PDB file of all heavy atoms in Angstrom:
ATOM      1  N   PRO X   4      -5.305 -19.674  -0.082  1.00 35.00           N
ATOM      2  CA  PRO X   4      -6.600 -20.335  -0.202  1.00 35.00           C
ATOM      3  C   PRO X   4      -7.125 -20.792   1.156  1.00 35.00           C
ATOM      4  O   PRO X   4      -8.318 -20.794   1.381  1.00 35.00           O
ATOM      5  CB  PRO X   4      -6.316 -21.525  -1.109  1.00 35.00           C
ATOM      6  CG  PRO X   4      -4.856 -21.731  -1.051  1.00 35.00           C
ATOM      7  CD  PRO X   4      -4.230 -20.430  -0.721  1.00 35.00           C
ATOM      8  N   THR X   7      -9.687 -18.887   3.258  1.00 28.00           N
ATOM      9  CA  THR X   7     -11.089 -18.755   2.894  1.00 28.00           C
ATOM     10  C   THR X   7     -12.004 -19.197   4.021  1.00 28.00           C
ATOM     11  O   THR X   7     -13.135 -18.748   4.112  1.00 28.00           O
ATOM     12  CB  THR X   7     -11.409 -19.609   1.650  1.00 28.00           C
ATOM     13  OG1 THR X   7     -10.868 -20.897   1.874  1.00 28.00           O
ATOM     14  CG2 THR X   7     -10.838 -18.987   0.416  1.00 28.00           C
ATOM     15  N   PRO X  26     -31.962 -20.777   7.945  1.00 41.00           N
ATOM     16  CA  PRO X  26     -30.664 -20.901   8.601  1.00 41.00           C
ATOM     17  C   PRO X  26     -29.603 -21.768   7.948  1.00 41.00           C
ATOM     18  O   PRO X  26     -28.447 -21.399   7.958  1.00 41.00           O
ATOM     19  CB  PRO X  26     -31.032 -21.456   9.975  1.00 41.00           C
ATOM     20  CG  PRO X  26     -32.371 -20.877  10.238  1.00 41.00           C
ATOM     21  CD  PRO X  26     -33.018 -20.573   8.906  1.00 41.00           C
ATOM     22  N   GLY X  30     -29.417 -27.313   9.493  1.00 45.00           N
ATOM     23  CA  GLY X  30     -30.065 -26.774  10.673  1.00 45.00           C
ATOM     24  C   GLY X  30     -29.110 -26.599  11.822  1.00 45.00           C
ATOM     25  O   GLY X  30     -29.421 -26.868  12.971  1.00 45.00           O
ATOM     26  N   PRO X  43     -18.520 -31.955   8.809  1.00 89.00           N
ATOM     27  CA  PRO X  43     -18.119 -32.439   7.481  1.00 89.00           C
ATOM     28  C   PRO X  43     -17.217 -33.674   7.562  1.00 89.00           C
ATOM     29  O   PRO X  43     -17.338 -34.566   6.723  1.00 89.00           O
ATOM     30  CB  PRO X  43     -17.343 -31.256   6.892  1.00 89.00           C
ATOM     31  CG  PRO X  43     -17.834 -30.071   7.628  1.00 89.00           C
ATOM     32  CD  PRO X  43     -18.177 -30.541   9.003  1.00 89.00           C
ATOM     33  N   ILE X  54     -19.033 -46.495   1.338  1.00 93.00           N
ATOM     34  CA  ILE X  54     -18.415 -46.934   0.076  1.00 93.00           C
ATOM     35  C   ILE X  54     -17.680 -48.252   0.291  1.00 93.00           C
ATOM     36  O   ILE X  54     -17.812 -49.209  -0.483  1.00 93.00           O
ATOM     37  CB  ILE X  54     -17.440 -45.861  -0.456  1.00 93.00           C
ATOM     38  CG1 ILE X  54     -18.233 -44.650  -0.959  1.00 93.00           C
ATOM     39  CG2 ILE X  54     -16.571 -46.427  -1.578  1.00 93.00           C
ATOM     40  CD1 ILE X  54     -17.370 -43.445  -1.286  1.00 93.00           C
ATOM     41  N   ILE X  63      -5.929 -54.140  -0.631  1.00 85.00           N
ATOM     42  CA  ILE X  63      -4.826 -53.283  -1.070  1.00 85.00           C
ATOM     43  C   ILE X  63      -5.341 -52.042  -1.798  1.00 85.00           C
ATOM     44  O   ILE X  63      -4.568 -51.232  -2.279  1.00 85.00           O
ATOM     45  CB  ILE X  63      -3.824 -54.038  -1.982  1.00 85.00           C
ATOM     46  CG1 ILE X  63      -4.566 -54.684  -3.156  1.00 85.00           C
ATOM     47  CG2 ILE X  63      -3.030 -55.068  -1.217  1.00 85.00           C
ATOM     48  CD1 ILE X  63      -3.656 -54.940  -4.334  1.00 85.00           C
ATOM     49  N   SER X  70     -10.206 -49.838  10.393  1.00 93.00           N
ATOM     50  CA  SER X  70      -8.936 -50.528  10.260  1.00 93.00           C
ATOM     51  C   SER X  70      -7.776 -49.539  10.100  1.00 93.00           C
ATOM     52  O   SER X  70      -6.653 -49.815  10.490  1.00 93.00           O
ATOM     53  CB  SER X  70      -9.025 -51.558   9.126  1.00 93.00           C
ATOM     54  OG  SER X  70      -8.289 -51.183   8.033  1.00 93.00           O
ATOM     55  N   GLY X  73      -7.012 -48.681  13.501  1.00 94.00           N
ATOM     56  CA  GLY X  73      -6.256 -49.792  14.072  1.00 94.00           C
ATOM     57  C   GLY X  73      -4.783 -49.729  13.681  1.00 94.00           C
ATOM     58  O   GLY X  73      -3.897 -49.845  14.523  1.00 94.00           O
ATOM     59  N   ILE X  79       1.756 -46.662  16.362  1.00 92.00           N
ATOM     60  CA  ILE X  79       2.224 -45.899  17.520  1.00 92.00           C
ATOM     61  C   ILE X  79       2.805 -46.843  18.558  1.00 92.00           C
ATOM     62  O   ILE X  79       3.885 -46.593  19.114  1.00 92.00           O
ATOM     63  CB  ILE X  79       1.081 -45.053  18.122  1.00 92.00           C
ATOM     64  CG1 ILE X  79       0.790 -43.882  17.194  1.00 92.00           C
ATOM     65  CG2 ILE X  79       1.456 -44.564  19.515  1.00 92.00           C
ATOM     66  CD1 ILE X  79      -0.204 -42.906  17.745  1.00 92.00           C
ATOM     67  N   VAL X 107      16.640 -15.038   3.828  1.00 95.00           N
ATOM     68  CA  VAL X 107      16.234 -13.706   4.275  1.00 95.00           C
ATOM     69  C   VAL X 107      17.265 -12.636   3.904  1.00 95.00           C
ATOM     70  O   VAL X 107      16.910 -11.618   3.293  1.00 95.00           O
ATOM     71  CB  VAL X 107      15.905 -13.713   5.785  1.00 95.00           C
ATOM     72  CG1 VAL X 107      15.676 -12.309   6.283  1.00 95.00           C
ATOM     73  CG2 VAL X 107      14.671 -14.569   6.043  1.00 95.00           C
ATOM     74  N   LEU X 113      18.206  -8.176  -2.371  1.00 92.00           N
ATOM     75  CA  LEU X 113      17.457  -7.954  -3.607  1.00 92.00           C
ATOM     76  C   LEU X 113      16.486  -6.792  -3.452  1.00 92.00           C
ATOM     77  O   LEU X 113      16.269  -6.022  -4.381  1.00 92.00           O
ATOM     78  CB  LEU X 113      16.668  -9.209  -3.983  1.00 92.00           C
ATOM     79  CG  LEU X 113      17.466 -10.419  -4.432  1.00 92.00           C
ATOM     80  CD1 LEU X 113      16.542 -11.592  -4.667  1.00 92.00           C
ATOM     81  CD2 LEU X 113      18.222 -10.103  -5.698  1.00 92.00           C
ATOM     82  N   THR X 231      14.599 -45.042   2.790  1.00 79.00           N
ATOM     83  CA  THR X 231      15.015 -46.387   3.180  1.00 79.00           C
ATOM     84  C   THR X 231      16.370 -46.392   3.877  1.00 79.00           C
ATOM     85  O   THR X 231      16.538 -47.017   4.926  1.00 79.00           O
ATOM     86  CB  THR X 231      15.130 -47.292   1.926  1.00 79.00           C
ATOM     87  OG1 THR X 231      14.150 -46.894   0.996  1.00 79.00           O
ATOM     88  CG2 THR X 231      14.999 -48.740   2.292  1.00 79.00           C
ATOM     89  N   GLN X 247       4.496 -52.714   1.187  1.00 91.00           N
ATOM     90  CA  GLN X 247       4.053 -53.924   1.886  1.00 91.00           C
ATOM     91  C   GLN X 247       2.577 -54.233   1.617  1.00 91.00           C
ATOM     92  O   GLN X 247       2.067 -55.261   2.062  1.00 91.00           O
ATOM     93  CB  GLN X 247       4.225 -53.754   3.404  1.00 91.00           C
ATOM     94  CG  GLN X 247       5.643 -53.543   3.868  1.00 91.00           C
ATOM     95  CD  GLN X 247       5.684 -53.034   5.297  1.00 91.00           C
ATOM     96  OE1 GLN X 247       4.714 -53.167   6.036  1.00 91.00           O
ATOM     97  NE2 GLN X 247       6.796 -52.439   5.690  1.00 91.00           N
ATOM     98  N   VAL X 281      -2.164  -7.703  14.071  1.00 82.00           N
ATOM     99  CA  VAL X 281      -3.011  -7.039  15.055  1.00 82.00           C
ATOM    100  C   VAL X 281      -2.226  -5.939  15.752  1.00 82.00           C
ATOM    101  O   VAL X 281      -2.706  -4.838  15.988  1.00 82.00           O
ATOM    102  CB  VAL X 281      -3.546  -8.058  16.082  1.00 82.00           C
ATOM    103  CG1 VAL X 281      -4.194  -7.339  17.250  1.00 82.00           C
ATOM    104  CG2 VAL X 281      -4.540  -8.993  15.412  1.00 82.00           C
TER     105      VAL X 281
END
Side-chain angles (χ1 to χ4, degrees):
Chain X
T7 48
I54 289 170
I63 54 157
S70 109
I79 287 186
V107 172
L113 291 176
T231 327
Q247 298 165 19
V281 169

